[in-house]
């Protein structure tokens, strides 16, 4: 099978580098599946899971949004934060989820930033969705 080189990069450095047969993720415009030789593309991503398929193996990386760039031989994902499955601290994500839910319950109070809490909740749920797969 043909493969394509993939890098997931954050401000703290590279999180994932590999050659894979297929990259799947959620762009803001909908689900994306990238195979080797895909046309060049730049797309903003949602908070979501990047699935990296190679042979019988699939790796999962949690990304907090970002930008996907596709060139014929290379996919680059630039994200504010990203974690491979093995790096996710489940307890931390659970605490973040509970904190965000509490803030959303208090969101009637004017001093709670609803959108910020909603995004924190989405990041936590996204991380937990990968923890469930390992
Ligand atoms: P928290 O409130 O727990 O910090 P967050 O969603 O606000 O969660 P981010 O701002 O997205 O965190 O990320 C800050 C840094 O912490 C990034 O380097 C990110 O990879 C890391 N990080 C956040 N949550 C986890 C987690 N559950 N497991 C491992 N690393 C995490």
């Amino acid at each position: 099978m043909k493969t394509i080189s993939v890098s997931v990069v954050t401000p703290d450095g590279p999180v994932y580098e590999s050659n894979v047969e297929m990259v799947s993720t959620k762009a803001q415009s909908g689900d994306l599946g990238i195979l080797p030789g895909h046309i060049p593309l730049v797309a903003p991503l949602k908070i979501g899971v990047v699935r990296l398929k190679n042979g019988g193996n699939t790796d999962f990386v949690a990304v907090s949004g970002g930008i996907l760039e596709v060139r014929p031989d290379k996919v680059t994902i630039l994200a504010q934060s990203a974690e491979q499955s093995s790096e996710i601290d489940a307890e931390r994500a659970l605490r973040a989820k509970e904190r965000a839910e509490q803030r959303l319950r208090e969101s009637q109070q004017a001093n709670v930033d609803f959108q910020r809490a909603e995004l924190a909740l989405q990041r936590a749920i996204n991380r937990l969705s990968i923890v469930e797969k390992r």
Side-chain angles (χ1 to χ4, degrees):
M1 278 290 263
K2 280 192 176 172
T3 60
I4 186 164
S5 156
V6 183
S7 300
V8 181
V9 183
T10 73
D12 298 328
V15 166
Y16 182 94
E17 307 249 15
S18 188
N19 291 304
V20 305
E21 289 164 5
M22 183 168 172
V23 182
S24 325
T25 192
K26 265 189 194 164
Q28 287 185 8
S29 57
D31 289 352
L32 268 183
I34 312 287
L35 295 167
H38 193 284
I39 53 161
L41 172 76
V42 172
L45 298 180
K46 287 187 173 173
I47 293 170
V49 176
V50 182
R51 289 178 178 70
L52 302 125
K53 192 169 168 296
N54 207 9
N57 183 49
T58 303
D59 293 329
F60 299 97
V61 177
V63 296
S64 60
I67 301 285
L68 171 101
E69 182 200 36
V70 182
R71 285 181 278 140
D73 58 343
K74 171 97 186 150
V75 175
T76 307
I77 292 172
L78 267 177
Q80 191 58 41
S81 67
E83 305 86 38
Q84 288 199 50
S85 176
S86 58
E87 292 168 351
I88 295 175
D89 177 341
E91 285 297 314
R92 177 175 168 177
L94 207 55
R95 285 196 303 273
K97 178 172 176 278
E98 285 166 0
R99 222 165 35 239
E101 284 169 343
Q102 181 61 33
R103 289 197 179 115
L104 290 171
R105 277 195 292 273
E106 295 162 357
S107 67
Q108 267 71 340
Q109 297 166 25
N111 61 347
V112 174
D113 184 337
F114 181 85
Q115 199 184 10
R116 185 174 159 193
E118 181 60 39
L119 290 172
L121 179 61
Q122 283 181 27
R123 290 195 299 276
I125 289 172
N126 188 45
R127 289 177 176 124
L128 291 169
S129 78
I130 293 189
V131 167
E132 279 168 14
K133 294 190 212 300
R134 54 187 195 202

